[in-house]
């Protein structure tokens, strides 16, 4: 092999791997991205609400029902709407009524959000950034004094 | 008084770091030996000044001086002493101080152990190191000063975030920072090489041990963080593809690539420009990680504080260093002449392949981590990119890399023989296929993908054994000869084999736990027994107890099989007094490599029942055992005479290993 041939093997190899990576990234970003939605977004129904998404909002005070044992029901609200969430699993330590959380899962046909993950981060004053911003946009922010 | 002394020492450290930056650079420019000679002593003094600052803050924590704002925010008088120490870096300001301390430490280490470095190279490295130290000390002083006082002083503190009150905090951040910041040395070497326009094998000889040092600390740090999250968060996961995890993983991937490309540079004087670029990138990713964690732009468990000025300041540092380095690279890289050519099928070729896949994989992680920020900035749409993305992109890129790993050490430099390599590896290949078939298919009726994963893992392990086996001349050599050869093997060969086997062990753990893990959520009352994966789990008791700075519910479960008690797990739910914050302590029983993992949920009101989540995690500890092998491999390789820091530069004649058909690595 000449010097030139050797070099072109390396270059084409590199281009091949890069092309593979770009293809993988593009297809994965197309399929695997999770959108953030508020209860109002879901109620409005203007977006495509099939597939996985993240639902963010405040846990409605008095809505948490864990009488079913291994399944928890609660509602998440923003200013105008609330939506019922069903979650099978242990809620994170900092899950509290009235606090901002993010639930990840899918929306069922009857409008109940089926969550497989619930995130409430490990900080007393923590408000998930996405939730805080969506509440601010709606003029419902009451978190600044918590900082 | 002591706190003010610390504050003063930090300011002094900043001023001295500026001198460490300016004096040697002026010396280099004017070729003034006196200015150049100042660099080592200056970097040692900077380290001493910052150590004093760090010691002062530690003292304030130990004596619970709540007149210091940082202590008040993050400590509590009855907090156990260990956590008073570790609490120093359990917050934004303190952890940045630790960052700067380690930065200065590395500068001092180069100053002390770099006796046989060419003086100009040494001065350039230390001056660059001084520049970084000055920038981050300024960041500390201007935006994150840990020595600010409170008047009047509160009588009690607000306590450290309970999740951080764990032995993990004592180990994880220092190790991680030693790794992150360790790459600053490689960065400084790269910058100096570009400024001087000179790079030779001696340069690579120096960069490799530093890369190895940073890499092994980073490996241990990431692994420790992963295990900490696993047992502390109570979610039973060991890796979440969380932005902050990615932030530490990207420098690790690039560092691994650098480790291998520096090898080519040292042995063959090839891939010079690329090695320089990787040295710059490794530290750039470490800086990016610092920015992502400290600026709070990403939602994560690690972001202690969100303050826009801090984010902007770090972003400015980031742009200045990465941008400056890359511009310098663009201007000067062409002055470096490239060395020997090689056939694509050769040791060099294998290492190029390694670099290609590692850097591409880093790019996919990078895209996945920053894509949400990018989309939000451009379109205002909030999205998240989670595990499925990384499984779809990072996973497929790792498979060809892992398949290729065992071939690397069998290929000769310059021109290798792929068929010959396979001839030595077919036993390893056959054995790993056999193990996979028996283990996965017969034993568990496993899916085909898992069988493949197990074959891959064993391929790496057997491949590493085959490497040592062949280097010993086995099976042809007599045992005594083989033994003598093994004893005479360079330590770096052992290091390579250990680290590569470690990758296999970790892979085995990952495949096993993702495929065969089982999980259940149930409600139980004390006295009840449940069956899970063939074990009986009896809920013995649940009682409220009092800890030093928390109250907790303590549960006891007895695990037994066919009437034989195997062990006891004791999960807890704690509530910390000062912060009113609850945490979950998982109860874990380890059986060889498997773990039985129990975590408590909430009590069912009006009953004595409690929600219990139980996982069966087969072979889970192999994930971390593998990283232990990698780290030990790094240490063994570092102890190689050829690389020992400060060892006299003696060039031994190349040993030609007849059996392998090439120079021993």
């Amino acid at each position: 092999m000449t010097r030139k041939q050797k070099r072109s093997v390396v270059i084409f190899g590199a281009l091949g791997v890069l092309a593979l990576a770009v293809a993988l990234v593009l297809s994965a970003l197309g399929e695997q991205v999770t959108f953030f939605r508020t209860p109002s977004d879901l109620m409005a129904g203007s977006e495509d609400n099939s597939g996985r998404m993240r639902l963010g909002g405040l846990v409605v005070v008095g809505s948490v029902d864990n009488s079913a044992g291994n399944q928890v029901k609660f509602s998440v609200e923003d200013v105008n709407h609330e939506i019922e969430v069903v979650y099978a699993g242990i809620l994170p330590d900092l899950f509290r009524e009235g606090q901002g959380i993010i639930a990840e899962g899918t929306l069922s046909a009857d409008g109940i959000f089926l969550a497989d993950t619930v995130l409430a981060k490990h900080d007393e004053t923590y408000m998930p950034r996405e939730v805080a911003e969506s509440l601010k946009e709606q003029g419902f922010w009451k978190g600044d004094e918590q900082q | 008084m002591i706190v003010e002394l610390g504050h003063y020492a930090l300011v002094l450290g900043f001023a001295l770091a500026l001198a460490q930056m300016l004096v040697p650079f002026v010396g280099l420019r004017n070729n003034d030996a006196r200015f150049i000679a100042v660099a080592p002593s200056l970097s040692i003094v900077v380290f001493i000044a910052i150590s004093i600052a760090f010691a002062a803050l530690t003292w304030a924590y130990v004596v619970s001086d709540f007149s210091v704002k940082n202590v008040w925010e993050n400590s509590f008088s009855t907090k156990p002493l260990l956590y008073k120490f570790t609490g120093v870096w359990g917050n934004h300001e303190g952890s940045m101080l630790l960052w700067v301390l380690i930065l200065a430490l590395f500068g001092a280490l180069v100053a002390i152990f770099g006796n046989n470095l060419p003086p100009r190279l040494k001065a350039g490295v230390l001056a660059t190191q001084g520049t970084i130290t000055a920038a981050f000390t300024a960041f500390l002083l201007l935006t994150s000063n840990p020595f600010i006082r409170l008047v009047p002083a509160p009588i009690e503190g607000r306590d450290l975030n309970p999740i951080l009150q764990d032995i993990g905090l004592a180990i994880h951040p220092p190790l991680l920072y030693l790794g992150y910041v360790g790459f600053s040395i490689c960065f400084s070497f790269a910058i100096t090489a570009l400024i001087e326009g000179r790079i030779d094998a001696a340069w690579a000889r120096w960069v490799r041990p530093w890369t190895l040092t940073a890499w092994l600390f980073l490996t241990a740090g990431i692994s420790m963080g992963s295990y900490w999250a696993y047992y502390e968060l109570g979610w039973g996961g060991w890796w979440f593809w969380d932005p902050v995890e990615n932030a530490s993983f990207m420098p690790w991937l690039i560092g691994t690539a650098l480790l291998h490309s520096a090898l080519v540079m040292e042995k063959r004087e090839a891939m010079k420009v690329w090695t320089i670029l990787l040295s710059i990138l490794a530290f750039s990713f470490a800086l990016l990680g610092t920015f992502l964690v400290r600026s709070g732009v990403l939602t994560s468990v690690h972001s202690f504080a969100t303050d826009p000025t801090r984010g902007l300041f770090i972003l400015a540092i980031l742009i200045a260093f990465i941008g400056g380095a890359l511009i310098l690279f663009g201007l000067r890289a062409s002055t470096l002449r490239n060395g020997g050519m090689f056939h694509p099928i050769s040791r060099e070729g294998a290492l190029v392949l390694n670099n290609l896949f590692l850097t591409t994989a880093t790019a996919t992680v990078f895209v996945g981590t920053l894509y949400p920020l990018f989309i939000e900035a451009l379109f205002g749409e909030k999205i998240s990119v989670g595990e499925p993305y990384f499984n779809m992109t990072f996973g497929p890129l790792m498979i060809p890399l892992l398949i290729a790993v065992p071939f690397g050490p069998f290929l000769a430099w310059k021109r290798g023989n792929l068929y010959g390599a396979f001839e030595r590896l077919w036993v390893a290949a056959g054995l790993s296929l056999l193990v996979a078939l028996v283990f996965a298919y017969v034993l568990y009726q496993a899916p085909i993908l898992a069988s493949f994963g197990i074959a891959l893992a064993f391929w790496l392990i057997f491949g590493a054994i085959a490497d040592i086996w062949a280097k010993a001349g086995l099976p042809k050599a007599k045992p005594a000869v083989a033994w003598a050869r093994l004893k005479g093997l360079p330590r770096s060969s052992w290091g390579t084999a250990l680290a590569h086997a470690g990758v296999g062990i970790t892979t085995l753990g990952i495949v096993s736990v993702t495929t065969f893990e089982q999980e259940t959520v149930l409600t139980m009352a004390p006295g009840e027994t449940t069956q899970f994966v063939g074990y009986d789990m009896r809920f013995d008791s649940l009682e409220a107890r009092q800890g030093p700075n928390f109250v907790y519910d303590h549960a006891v479960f007895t695990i037994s099989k066919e009437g034989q008690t195997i062990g006891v797990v004791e999960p807890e739910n704690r509530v910390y007094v000062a912060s009113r914050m609850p945490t979950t302590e998982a109860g874990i029983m380890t059986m060889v490599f498997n773990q039985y993992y129990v975590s408590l949920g909430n009590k069912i009101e009006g009953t004595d029942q409690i929600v219990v989540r139980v996982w069966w995690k087969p072979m889970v500890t192999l994930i971390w055992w593998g990283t232990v092998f990698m780290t030990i491999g790094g240490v063994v390789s570092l102890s190689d005479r050829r690389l020992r820091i400060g060892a006299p530069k003696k060039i031994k004649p190349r040993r030609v290993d007849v059996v392998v058909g090439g120079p021993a690595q």
Side-chain angles (χ1 to χ4, degrees):
Chain A
M1 257 193 222
T2 64
R3 204 176 165 90
K4 207 171 174 185
Q5 278 174 322
K6 286 175 186 170
R7 186 170 285 165
S8 53
V9 167
V10 173
I11 290 173
F12 280 109
L15 285 178
V17 174
L18 269 179
L20 171 71
V22 169
L24 286 172
V25 165
L26 288 180
S27 70
L29 282 181
E31 289 169 32
Q32 305 293 354
V33 161
T34 322
F35 287 93
F36 178 85
R37 299 275 184 260
T38 62
S40 299
D41 291 338
L42 291 185
M43 288 296 177
S46 52
E47 319 258 3
D48 173 21
N49 287 332
S50 59
R52 284 178 66 79
M53 64 189 98
R54 286 185 159 193
L55 170 69
L58 302 176
V59 181
V60 178
V61 176
S63 71
V64 180
D65 169 17
N66 51 25
S67 58
N70 53 8
Q71 197 182 48
V72 192
K73 287 182 190 160
F74 57 90
S75 296
V76 166
E77 65 176 354
D78 57 2
V79 193
N80 307 311
H81 298 284
E82 59 177 77
I83 203 154
E84 199 178 332
V85 179
V86 176
Y87 170 61
I90 291 187
L91 291 170
D93 296 333
L94 282 168
F95 181 92
R96 307 260 180 80
E97 293 185 347
Q99 202 169 355
I101 59 114
I102 290 176
E104 199 170 317
T106 52
L107 190 68
S108 71
D110 47 359
I112 293 174
F113 193 81
L114 308 172
D116 49 40
T117 313
V118 171
L119 306 171
K121 291 292 168 104
H122 286 263
D123 178 347
E124 179 75 342
T125 57
Y126 183 78
M127 169 76 82
R129 191 177 55 90
E130 294 89 341
V131 175
E133 280 172 12
S134 75
L135 291 174
K136 265 183 191 163
E137 278 164 20
Q138 299 173 30
F140 191 57
W141 174 247
K142 54 178 184 182
D144 276 329
E145 78 274 5
Q146 292 176 344
Q147 294 284 315
Chain B
M1 181 57 202
I2 287 183
V3 172
E4 276 65 37
L5 198 69
H7 194 171
Y8 175 73
L10 190 61
V11 177
L12 191 66
F14 170 64
L16 287 166
L18 280 181
Q20 185 190 340
M21 164 177 85
L22 292 172
V23 177
F25 271 143
V26 170
L28 285 178
R29 201 176 166 74
N30 303 339
N31 209 3
D32 187 330
R34 290 167 307 167
F35 277 37
I36 288 175
V38 173
S41 16
L42 267 176
S43 37
I44 292 169
V45 182
V46 167
F47 173 64
I48 292 172
I50 292 172
S51 307
I52 292 173
F54 191 81
L57 186 65
T58 310
W59 183 84
Y61 267 91
V62 171
V63 301
S64 293
D65 183 352
F66 295 125
S67 71
V68 178
K69 184 159 172 265
N70 190 254
V71 179
W72 169 69
E73 280 174 343
N74 299 295
S75 199
F76 196 69
S77 53
T78 61
K79 190 169 74 171
L81 187 63
L82 173 69
Y83 303 140
K84 286 185 178 169
F85 273 106
T86 61
V88 175
W89 57 79
N91 60 84
H92 169 77
E93 290 82 359
S95 75
M96 284 315 295
L97 186 58
L98 179 68
W99 209 97
V100 173
L101 178 73
I102 292 175
L103 197 59
L105 169 73
F106 275 104
L109 286 177
V110 171
I112 294 168
F113 293 108
N115 289 328
N116 54 354
L117 269 179
R120 284 184 67 90
L121 177 59
K122 187 172 174 183
V125 169
L126 292 177
T128 315
Q129 199 72 12
T131 316
I132 308 170
T133 313
F136 276 94
T137 318
F139 170 73
L140 263 176
L141 288 168
L142 294 177
T143 71
S144 323
N145 194 333
F147 296 109
I148 290 173
R149 291 276 198 183
L150 281 176
V151 180
I155 36 172
E156 187 52 276
R158 296 207 300 197
D159 208 355
L160 177 66
N161 186 338
I163 210 97
L164 300 177
Q165 297 196 24
D166 186 272
I167 185 74
L169 183 66
I171 309 167
H172 168 60
L175 284 179
L176 199 66
Y177 282 7
L178 281 167
Y180 258 22
V181 181
F183 286 122
S184 66
I185 292 292
C186 310
F187 178 85
S188 297
F189 267 95
I191 295 296
T192 313
L194 288 172
I195 292 175
E196 296 276 282
R198 252 175 58 90
I199 182 168
D200 47 26
W203 184 92
R205 241 180 170 43
W206 266 93
V207 167
R208 223 163 80 76
W210 290 106
T211 310
L212 202 52
T213 310
W215 179 86
L216 70 91
F217 279 118
L218 194 57
T219 309
I222 293 175
S223 163
M224 182 63 219
S226 155
Y227 191 64
W228 184 17
Y230 169 77
Y231 72 73
E232 178 68 37
L233 295 180
W235 302 336
W238 49 274
W239 189 260
F240 301 97
W241 291 108
D242 176 277
V244 172
E245 291 173 339
N246 296 346
S248 67
F249 193 45
M250 288 188 280
W252 187 85
L253 289 169
I254 294 288
T256 311
L258 174 60
L259 209 59
H260 291 84
S261 82
L263 194 68
V264 179
M265 213 191 116
E266 185 188 350
K267 292 283 187 190
R268 299 272 307 130
E269 300 215 7
M271 291 173 80
K272 281 182 183 175
V273 177
W274 177 246
T275 304
I276 295 267
L277 181 64
L278 283 182
S279 310
I280 292 173
L281 283 182
F283 187 57
S284 299
F285 275 112
L287 283 178
L288 179 75
T290 309
F291 167 70
L292 290 180
V293 178
R294 294 286 152 240
S295 63
V297 292
L298 293 169
T299 307
S300 152
V301 278
H302 290 75
S303 34
F304 302 126
T306 321
D307 177 349
T309 49
R310 285 174 181 167
L312 282 177
F313 202 117
I314 299 189
L315 193 62
I317 295 181
L318 189 89
I319 291 169
F321 279 100
I322 301 179
L326 289 178
I327 289 172
L328 190 64
F329 178 79
L331 291 176
R332 301 301 295 267
S334 54
T335 59
L336 304 172
R337 241 177 296 133
N338 236 330
M341 284 299 291
F342 48 87
H343 193 270
I345 306 285
S346 62
R347 182 78 67 83
E348 294 95 317
L351 293 167
V352 168
L353 192 74
N354 153 305
N355 273 233
L356 195 57
F357 278 103
L358 283 174
T359 44
T360 318
T362 312
T364 64
V365 176
F366 180 76
V367 169
T369 310
L370 293 188
Y371 187 67
L373 282 179
F374 177 73
I375 288 296
E376 196 181 336
L378 279 187
F379 307 110
E381 176 87 76
K382 297 186 183 75
I383 60 159
S384 67
V385 172
E387 195 189 323
Y389 165 85
F390 295 101
N391 289 347
M392 269 182 71
T393 54
F394 184 78
L397 284 172
M398 280 298 108
I399 290 169
L401 175 64
L402 296 184
I403 291 175
V405 164
F407 286 103
F410 280 100
L411 293 172
W413 293 103
K414 239 177 148 176
R415 190 188 190 95
N417 179 351
L418 195 61
Y419 180 73
F422 192 73
E423 254 184 345
R424 293 173 211 286
L425 276 168
W426 72 267
V427 178
L431 277 178
S432 46
L433 282 177
L434 191 70
V435 169
L437 281 176
V438 172
F439 182 81
Y441 201 76
V442 182
L443 217 63
Y444 282 96
Q445 299 283 312
I448 194 82
L449 207 62
S451 315
F452 174 72
I454 284 168
L456 189 60
F458 277 98
W459 164 241
L460 285 161
I461 298 168
F462 290 140
I465 295 171
D467 177 25
I468 292 296
W469 185 264
K471 284 198 170 110
L474 291 165
K476 282 181 204 147
K478 291 199 182 82
V481 179
W483 177 244
R485 276 193 185 145
L486 281 182
K487 279 206 298 194
L489 268 187
R491 295 224 186 128
S492 57
S493 291
W494 287 103
T496 305
L498 280 169
H500 286 180
V503 177
I505 293 167
T506 298
T507 309
L508 186 59
I510 292 172
V511 171
S512 165
V513 86
T514 42
T515 318
F516 305 117
E517 175 183 88
Q518 293 192 49
E519 176 192 348
T520 183
V521 180
L522 54 151
T523 48
M524 289 179 86
E528 284 180 8
T529 301
T530 189
Q531 270 228 328
F532 182 55
V533 291
Y535 294 90
D536 292 315
M537 186 174 89
R538 193 179 67 231
F539 189 2
D540 295 329
S541 63
L542 179 70
E543 58 178 39
R545 290 191 190 175
Q546 175 80 44
N549 51 347
F550 54 87
V551 290
Y552 63 109
D553 286 329
H554 180 92
V556 180
F557 293 87
T558 305
I559 316 286
S560 57
K561 192 166 195 174
E562 290 155 7
Q564 290 268 321
T565 300
I566 297 172
V568 171
V569 290
E570 302 178 37
E572 291 172 4
N573 270 352
R574 295 181 180 172
V575 176
Y576 281 76
V577 178
S579 56
R580 308 296 314 157
M581 236 178 97
T583 71
T584 310
E585 301 290 310
I588 299 176
M589 185 175 75
T590 307
M591 287 170 273
V592 197
F593 299 122
N594 310 320
Q595 287 190 328
Y596 206 92
Y597 184 117
V598 181
S599 109
L600 294 180
N602 49 295
K603 291 179 184 163
I604 308 289
E605 268 167 57
T607 67
D608 58 350
Q609 288 181 314
I610 189 162
V611 178
V612 181
R613 195 164 179 179
V614 195
W615 280 271
W616 169 247
K617 304 221 166 245
M619 306 270 191
V620 69
T621 55
L622 287 185
I623 296 174
W624 302 290
W625 278 117
T627 64
V628 170
F629 271 78
M630 291 182 226
T631 312
I632 292 176
V635 173
V636 169
S637 187
L638 195 61
S639 73
D640 193 305
R641 185 182 160 66
R642 206 161 44 81
L643 286 180
R644 204 172 300 146
I645 301 164
K649 254 205 279 183
K650 220 194 296 173
I651 298 159
K652 279 205 293 187
R654 281 224 176 128
R655 284 165 15 93
V656 177
D657 196 329
V658 186
V659 182
V660 185
Q665 183 209 317

